[in-house]
Amino acid sequence: MLAACEYHGDMSRRHLAGILVALTLAAPLAARGTPENDTQSALDRARTDAVAATRTYLATLERLLVYREDAVQWAVATLETRRRLLAMGGISRADVEATERDLQAAQATAAATRGDIRDAEQLLAEAIAAAALPPLAPGVTASTATVVQHRGRSVWSLARVDVVKRFFAERFGRPLPISALGQTRVHDRLGFDHRNALDVAVHPDSPEGRALIAWLEREGVSFLAFRGPVSGEATGAHVHVGEPSRRRAGPHA
């Protein structure tokens, strides 16, 4: 009888030990979660990284613009001085022309930086929206105070841009105000794939914006329309035509 009790006790201890081993092995698996959860976590991290990278780049551009606008003011002052010297016969016309070219170059550089800031602001709005908006079923439109999102049923490509241009010109008698057509250097710099997207500089609630949105919905084209600041920081009302820009993996220049 005692032997039987010792046998059962030993079995119970071995059974308990087996359970503890199983729980120990299962704990890391439970911490990692299911493959679906792992995929969603990776996607969430990628979206968060995209927002952070865009925000950092935008801040860099804004600091850079200060120096480039200072360079424009310096070139303007230098040109005024040299024009006075030319009038007094102190320098040649060629010296003045060289300074005029310097001013034009400084102005072009500052303008390009302002354009990059606009593109980065729009991209930041898109990155924040992509991180916050839920996925939609085809044909569905969702709207918040700042963003209108539609997932189209048809395939969009830049080959259809001329159709959009024609619709807008016939409706409003002016060219479609395109702010980004396909890939820009800001998209390249941050590694976003904008090759098949179009950004239009219209407010979604303006007559032009409402007409464009209605046309895109009828045509089954996906879009993101931004009414203004997103999360209090991403400015620049516009309509992004096509699927949301995705950040590519790997290092970016």
Side-chain angles (χ1 to χ4, degrees):
M1 185 70 172
L2 179 60
C5 289
E6 290 176 349
Y7 173 78
H8 286 297
D10 184 60
M11 287 293 292
S12 297
R13 285 192 295 273
R14 280 187 289 173
H15 181 63
L16 178 59
I19 293 174
L20 291 174
V21 170
L23 289 174
T24 302
L25 293 174
L29 297 176
R32 286 201 300 269
T34 64
E36 292 79 4
N37 289 339
D38 289 345
T39 300
Q40 185 59 46
S41 296
L43 181 58
D44 290 342
R45 286 194 300 272
R47 289 170 172 172
T48 300
D49 290 346
V51 171
T54 309
R55 186 181 289 125
T56 298
Y57 185 56
L58 177 57
T60 300
L61 287 173
E62 289 171 342
R63 290 192 296 269
L64 182 61
L65 181 60
V66 173
Y67 292 102
R68 290 184 169 171
E69 288 181 335
D70 285 346
V72 171
Q73 295 305 314
W74 182 87
V76 168
T78 301
L79 180 59
E80 291 174 352
T81 299
R82 292 191 175 180
R83 282 173 174 169
R84 287 195 297 269
L85 290 173
L86 176 64
M88 293 184 295
I91 60 174
S92 68
R93 179 63 194 169
D95 292 329
V96 174
E97 291 174 347
T99 307
E100 289 173 342
R101 289 193 295 272
D102 290 342
L103 174 58
Q104 291 170 356
Q107 289 171 330
T109 300
T113 303
R114 284 190 289 270
D116 288 346
I117 288 174
R118 179 206 65 215
D119 290 345
E121 285 177 340
Q122 293 183 355
L123 189 52
L124 178 57
E126 294 170 17
I128 291 172
L133 292 173
L136 298 180
V140 173
T141 300
S143 179
T144 69
T146 54
V147 182
V148 182
Q149 180 187 20
H150 177 76
R151 184 179 176 193
R153 297 180 183 275
S154 66
V155 177
W156 162 261
S157 75
L158 291 186
R160 300 176 67 183
V161 169
D162 286 344
V163 180
V164 184
K165 288 181 177 179
R166 185 163 56 250
F167 156 76
F168 193 89
E170 291 174 355
R171 181 71 175 270
F172 297 104
R174 64 185 181 94
L176 183 71
I178 295 173
S179 57
L181 178 61
Q183 202 75 2
T184 71
R185 62 183 178 182
V186 171
H187 293 96
D188 283 336
R189 174 67 181 80
L190 291 173
F192 280 87
D193 188 351
H194 198 264
R195 291 171 295 178
N196 201 35
L198 165 72
D199 290 343
V200 182
V202 295
H203 195 289
D205 297 327
S206 67
E208 294 91 345
R210 289 196 299 270
L212 177 60
I213 285 173
W215 185 88
L216 292 170
E217 286 178 325
R218 286 196 305 271
E219 295 294 316
V221 177
S222 297
F223 67 83
L224 285 170
F226 299 88
R227 292 188 167 101
V230 176
S231 295
E233 57 181 313
T235 61
H238 70 288
V239 177
H240 171 93
V241 181
E243 296 298 325
S245 300
R246 305 297 182 188
R247 198 158 187 250
R248 301 190 299 270
H252 311 297

